[in-house]
Amino acid sequence: MATWVELLLRVGGVVVAFLTLPLLVGQTEHKVMAHMQARMGPMYAGGFHGWAQLVADGIKFVQKEDVTPRAADGPVFRLAPMVALLPYMLVLLVIPLGPGDLVAQSLDVGLVFALAVLGIGVIAVLMSAWASANKYSLLGGLRGAAQLMAYELPLVLSAASVAMAAGSLSLQVIVEKWQPWWLIWQAPAMVIFFIAAIAEIRRPPFDMPIADSELVFGFMTEYTGLRFAFYLLAEFAGIVVISALTAVLFLGGWHGPNADALGWLWMLLKTYAVAFLVIWLRVAYPRLREDQLQRLCWQILVPLALAQLVLTVGVRLALN
């Protein structure tokens, strides 16, 4: 019975984190973009600096009419937003928050599990694109599928570099074996992983599957109400997940002063810092064209990721 109680507490903690951290990132995005663009941003909902704006947005989405296009494939159309949310919740189960047992589910192949589950996102994009019976949605879905399948390669290769350096596929072991000097020789892998991860969650400047100036709103064009809110929540949850993975793989996770007691705090701070950088890129860089997006992947990121793997092998052999 104690084991079941512990499991429920761990899963409950992940659910709470899944429901709160994306909202914090969303509110931060509102305020960060407002300051970077010299405007105030949301100021009224909740009183103090509009802290409850996302809550008000959620209530608004719940009240909106749920519309399914007449020509749409109803079951697939309605299921797609939930499929978009599920991978990020599953990945949070294996991300260690601190030393010891501060992880919902410890896996010896946690890195493989996380990267494999993140790939499910392309299924949700294709489901919504095809089921919407809309040409703009279909074009956005095809763009999204091409983008996600392309950037999975540099994402996996850069993560493999860290796993090779640590000699393990366990996220806990990778953090435990992390050394500050990894920030130097694993820096290229970190940059590649970060860029590829942003493309995986379709955040600007890699938001070609949405491209509102060209495709209305891409694969999300026909969605309204709560289902549209699920897609927005999935976007913010994706920011949390890739920021946490970047912190675990490249920034030492819970490592910091007094890590035994405050490791969870260092992990959250590093995750929040990476999330801030994701938001900053949205404001600072324009959207890439489709050909630029693919060229960046195949001509720059993939060769650099392979070169980083060779470097990691060389360093491992030299140390041994």
Side-chain angles (χ1 to χ4, degrees):
M1 181 62 70
T3 303
W4 283 104
V5 171
E6 183 181 357
L7 178 62
L8 288 175
L9 289 175
R10 291 174 181 269
V11 174
V14 170
V15 172
V16 171
F18 184 77
L19 294 176
T20 56
L21 292 179
L23 294 180
L24 291 175
V25 170
Q27 181 66 13
T28 301
E29 181 171 62
H30 284 164
K31 286 300 180 180
V32 168
M33 290 181 62
H35 284 289
M36 288 183 175
Q37 296 170 347
R39 55 187 176 84
M40 296 182 67
M43 290 294 292
Y44 299 102
F48 181 73
H49 285 272
W51 66 269
Q53 181 60 50
L54 283 179
V55 177
D57 289 341
I59 295 173
K60 177 190 69 174
F61 283 125
V62 170
Q63 294 175 341
K64 280 190 172 182
E65 182 181 3
D66 184 15
V67 178
T68 300
R70 182 179 302 172
D73 186 332
V76 178
F77 181 84
R78 289 187 286 269
L79 185 62
M82 289 177 279
V83 176
L85 273 174
L86 182 63
Y88 301 121
M89 180 180 292
L90 293 177
V91 173
L92 284 178
L93 289 172
V94 300
I95 294 179
L97 185 60
D101 294 332
L102 279 179
V103 58
Q105 181 61 52
S106 178
L107 294 178
D108 292 336
V109 290
L111 179 58
V112 175
F113 175 83
L115 296 178
V117 170
L118 283 177
I120 297 176
V122 66
I123 298 178
V125 172
L126 290 174
M127 287 173 64
S128 59
W130 178 258
S132 294
N134 180 296
K135 61 182 179 181
Y136 296 110
S137 297
L138 182 59
L139 287 172
L142 294 176
R143 284 185 178 184
Q147 177 175 320
L148 294 175
M149 287 188 290
Y151 277 85
E152 277 185 356
L153 182 57
L155 184 77
V156 172
L157 290 176
S158 56
S161 176
V162 181
M164 189 180 299
S168 175
L169 293 172
S170 169
L171 294 177
Q172 288 94 328
V173 174
I174 290 174
V175 178
E176 289 170 359
K177 293 190 176 182
W178 180 86
Q179 300 293 329
W181 69 286
W182 284 20
L183 290 172
I184 300 175
W185 71 293
Q186 290 295 329
M190 178 173 63
V191 174
I192 294 168
F193 183 89
F194 180 71
I195 294 175
I198 293 177
E200 283 284 301
I201 62 172
R202 304 170 297 280
R203 284 282 301 183
F206 302 100
D207 58 338
M208 288 303 297
I210 296 176
D212 52 300
S213 58
E214 306 170 33
L215 303 180
V216 186
F217 217 61
F219 62 92
M220 293 190 288
T221 297
E222 297 292 350
Y223 282 92
T224 60
L226 197 56
R227 292 192 178 92
F228 183 78
F230 283 167
Y231 269 118
L232 293 183
L233 180 61
E235 179 178 343
F236 292 136
I239 296 175
V240 173
V241 167
I242 69 164
S243 299
L245 283 176
T246 304
V248 165
L249 296 175
F250 300 100
L251 302 179
W254 64 74
H255 284 284
N258 196 15
D260 290 337
L262 299 177
W264 61 272
L265 179 60
W266 294 117
M267 176 63 185
L268 289 177
L269 289 175
K270 292 174 183 178
T271 300
Y272 198 76
V274 178
F276 176 87
L277 185 58
V278 174
I279 296 169
W280 176 77
L281 287 176
R282 175 178 180 177
V283 182
Y285 288 92
R287 180 186 301 126
L288 297 178
R289 295 197 313 265
E290 188 67 25
D291 61 315
Q292 294 173 330
L293 182 141
Q294 295 293 339
R295 190 180 303 119
L296 173 64
C297 175
W298 296 109
Q299 296 184 6
I300 299 178
L301 295 186
V302 171
L304 285 178
L306 292 173
Q308 178 64 37
L309 279 178
V310 175
L311 173 64
T312 302
V313 171
V315 172
R316 287 280 295 179
L317 291 176
L319 292 177
N320 294 334

